Amino acid sequence: MTKLISCLSIALTLAASVSDANAQAVGEPKEGLALAQQVCAECHATVAGQDRSPNKQAPTFVNIAANPGMTPTALLVDLTTPHAGMPMFELTSKQRDDIIAYILSLR
C-alpha cells in the first residue's frame, strides 16, 4: 500500500509540473456536476457547502480543487490511476474533461 501511495504521489508531482498551458482541460462544468452527482457523490461531497464527504476518507471536491498542485493533468491522473479506496470508473474522455472542469470551477 505504501508503494502504491508513493507511486501516486510521484505521478501527481510529475503531473503538477506540466504547464497549465499544455494541460488545460476543456470540459463543461455543468455536465461535470451532473455526472459527479451520479458517479462520485456516493463517496465525495461534490458541491460547495458540503462540509463532509459521505466516505470520511474521500476528500470533498472543494478540498480537491483547493489543493495548490491540482491541475487538469493531476486530476486526470487521479481519475485514471487506481489508488487505495478509489473505484475505477469507465469514463469517456469527455466525461473526464467535464468532471475536471467542474472540480476546477470550485476554486
Side-chain angles (χ1 to χ4, degrees):
M1 177 143 160
T2 303
K3 185 176 179 180
L4 178 62
I5 291 170
S6 181
C7 288
L8 180 59
S9 178
I10 291 168
L12 287 174
T13 301
L14 290 173
S17 69
V18 175
S19 101
D20 275 345
N22 292 330
Q24 284 298 318
V26 177
E28 298 293 330
K30 284 176 89 173
E31 297 294 325
L33 168 59
L35 186 59
Q37 289 176 324
Q38 293 172 9
V39 177
C40 309
E42 184 177 326
C43 295
H44 294 274
T46 58
V47 295
Q50 285 182 297
D51 295 332
R52 293 180 300 213
S53 292
N55 178 333
K56 293 177 185 179
Q57 295 182 351
T60 68
F61 274 24
V62 169
N63 287 342
I64 293 169
N67 183 328
M70 199 52 63
T71 64
T73 302
L75 286 167
L76 180 62
V77 169
D78 273 349
L79 290 171
T80 57
T81 304
H83 53 282
M86 175 81 171
M88 286 309 302
F89 298 102
E90 291 186 30
L91 301 171
T92 67
S93 59
K94 171 149 179 27
Q95 289 172 321
R96 286 191 303 266
D97 287 348
D98 291 346
I99 290 174
I100 291 167
Y102 171 66
I103 291 171
L104 294 178
S105 78
L106 296 171
R107 287 185 170 162

